[in-house]
Amino acid sequence: MRIYSGIQPTGRKHLGNHLGAIRHYVTGQEEAEAAGAEAIFCVVDLHATTVAYDPRELRDRTYDTVALLLAAGLDPDRCILYRQGDVPEVPELTWLLTAVTAHGDLNRMHQFKEKSAQQRELVSAGLFLYPVLMAADVLAFRADRVPVGDDQRQHIELMRDIALRFNARFGGGDGTPGSGREVLRVPEGVYPTVAARVMDLQAPERKMSTSSGSIEGTLYLLDDAKTITKKLKRAVTDSDNEIRIGPDKPGVTNLVELLAATTDRTPEQVVEDLADARGYGDLKVATAEAVVAMLGPIQERYAELRHDEDAIERALAVGAAKARAIAGPVLAEVREAMGVGPRA
Ligand code: AQP
């Protein structure tokens, strides 16, 4: 039972990244360890180059992200934590997988449509191929489970299709998905049951996001307690003051989900527990207290870890060596199956 996930070193990480992904990496690390398997996590710097970015900042943002993952509880002695650009097997596999990726499927990706519309100067081919690189990340490690937020469902479905098509085409199958030897493992996406899609506090009909959305609508993991409380107090709700979840109440539902996720309750329990509340004010205060309590220890640990970039580089080098030891043989098998390079 191998677990794999990746995170971009772009911008400032937000509460959606934590509740949708990072905290499930930490539980994944524990589950994998208990099962005698690996949990593998990657900071995907190559993905970050698919939109306009500042090369002088990329390494700093990578260190920020690694320090945050360590502060949240990842332990390089208990998992494999590496930087995507340190493992050249993955971009090579990306190219090989384009042979079984339909152009039409890539054209249908919501993220490509949204992000290409945001680019002012260039819509890069890399942005178009982003889902193939993501598929290569996971498939290079024959991962079984991929913990991600709800926004990644379409990418996960595509990577499953790519693996199935690869096995059918190059694993000696008859070409129909499901046939052929399992050269590549077909992974499963694992989505949180609560807060799988954290919404923007100011525009709760769209997800909290790094690249779109306002500072006021986004709770950054390194925001101080005062800022978190202020942003939550100003969160958009509605006028009926009734604490209830449902599609007609996106702002309130988002706050209830945040409170549920940060206090390990279901949204229904939170609604029940707030039955005597004096309205949205109480919900907002309770949510702010819970988020501050959850993030405080992570922020403290981040402050201790972030300044030591040499230590971060050392941890990444260890992770890259372990990652290459797994991805290398998988790539060799893919090359052999595809007839690329000399006979094995
Ligand atoms: N709002 C969200 N709710 C739940 N999960 C989320 N994730 C992202 N946003 C939410 C999950 O975070 C993980 C890392 O995502 P990423 O590598 O795409 O990092 P990012 O660029 O910081 O994420 P954003 O905010 O989604 O960036 P944009 O908007 O620029 O694309 C993934 O598992 C993702 O599901």
Side-chain angles (χ1 to χ4, degrees):
M1 192 267 301
R2 193 175 274 164
I3 294 175
Y4 185 98
S5 201
I7 184 163
Q8 295 200 71
T10 39
R12 291 186 280 164
K13 294 293 120 183
H14 53 74
L15 194 62
N17 297 135
H18 186 71
L19 296 180
I22 298 172
R23 71 177 194 157
H24 303 286
Y25 300 173
V26 180
T27 48
Q29 170 181 262
E30 278 150 27
E31 280 164 27
E33 195 173 45
E38 292 97 354
I40 308 171
F41 302 104
C42 180
V43 177
V44 294
D45 57 348
L46 299 180
H47 274 103
T49 67
T50 60
V51 292
Y53 77 102
D54 183 346
R56 288 166 305 187
E57 279 190 9
L58 183 56
R59 263 182 215 107
D60 285 339
R61 297 294 83 79
T62 299
Y63 296 144
D64 293 349
T65 308
V66 174
L68 201 56
L69 293 175
L70 297 174
L74 289 190
D75 176 349
D77 291 332
R78 297 170 64 201
C79 71
I80 299 176
L81 175 61
Y82 74 98
R83 170 172 48 201
Q84 191 179 34
D86 295 342
V87 178
E89 287 78 4
V90 169
E92 183 176 342
L93 182 60
T94 304
W95 179 254
L96 297 173
L97 294 179
T98 60
V100 286
T101 307
H103 179 276
D105 286 347
L106 293 178
N107 238 347
R108 275 190 283 280
M109 293 291 117
H110 306 308
Q111 183 176 293
F112 175 69
K113 287 184 194 158
E114 281 155 24
K115 289 203 174 170
S116 56
Q118 290 165 12
Q119 303 311 305
R120 291 207 193 99
E121 293 191 352
L122 174 81
V123 177
S124 72
L127 188 59
F128 189 67
L129 291 173
Y130 183 112
V132 195
L133 179 57
M134 182 171 161
D137 283 328
V138 176
L139 301 181
F141 293 91
R142 294 209 173 107
D144 302 283
R145 291 165 56 180
V146 188
V148 281
D150 187 62
D151 59 320
Q152 294 300 321
R153 275 181 198 272
Q154 203 185 22
H155 286 161
I156 298 284
E157 282 316 307
L158 181 70
M159 83 172 59
R160 288 170 55 82
D161 287 347
I162 289 173
L164 285 167
R165 214 175 287 142
F166 186 94
N167 293 340
R169 168 89 176 81
F170 297 111
D174 59 11
T176 51
S179 67
R181 178 169 67 86
E182 192 190 55
V183 183
L184 297 175
R185 174 84 34 90
V186 183
E188 260 177 48
V190 184
Y191 307 95
T193 47
V194 182
R197 185 181 285 256
V198 174
M199 308 309 271
D200 188 287
L201 299 178
Q202 289 300 316
E205 63 290 343
R206 55 163 208 250
K207 77 166 188 128
M208 194 175 280
S209 144
T210 308
S211 59
S212 54
S214 60
I215 291 177
E216 298 73 36
T218 310
L219 278 178
Y220 297 106
L221 298 182
L222 299 179
D223 275 346
D224 60 31
K226 213 170 123 200
T227 306
I228 291 171
T229 306
K230 194 167 89 189
K231 286 181 180 178
L232 281 165
K233 281 193 174 162
R234 291 186 183 163
V236 166
T237 48
D238 53 45
S239 54
D240 70 17
N241 229 9
E242 185 191 353
I243 300 176
R244 173 169 67 74
I245 50 176
D248 57 326
K249 295 177 76 75
V252 176
T253 301
N254 192 35
L255 292 175
V256 169
E257 288 244 343
L258 289 183
L259 183 52
T262 45
T263 54
D264 288 325
R265 284 179 284 173
T266 63
E268 291 74 16
Q269 272 169 328
V270 166
V271 170
E272 208 180 303
D273 294 347
L274 286 172
D276 297 330
R278 290 158 299 164
Y280 297 152
D282 285 358
L283 171 63
K284 289 176 171 179
V285 168
T287 308
E289 284 171 359
V291 171
V292 167
M294 180 184 70
L295 295 183
I298 297 175
Q299 294 177 351
E300 274 172 36
R301 192 128 171 73
Y302 176 86
E304 288 163 21
L305 294 165
R306 174 60 184 89
H307 65 93
D308 194 347
E309 295 183 354
D310 290 343
I312 293 175
E313 278 295 350
R314 281 196 299 277
L316 288 175
V318 171
K322 290 186 198 163
R324 296 193 71 183
I326 298 174
V330 176
L331 177 66
E333 240 187 272
V334 167
R335 286 168 61 98
E336 173 63 17
M338 292 181 75
V340 169
R343 269 199 187 86

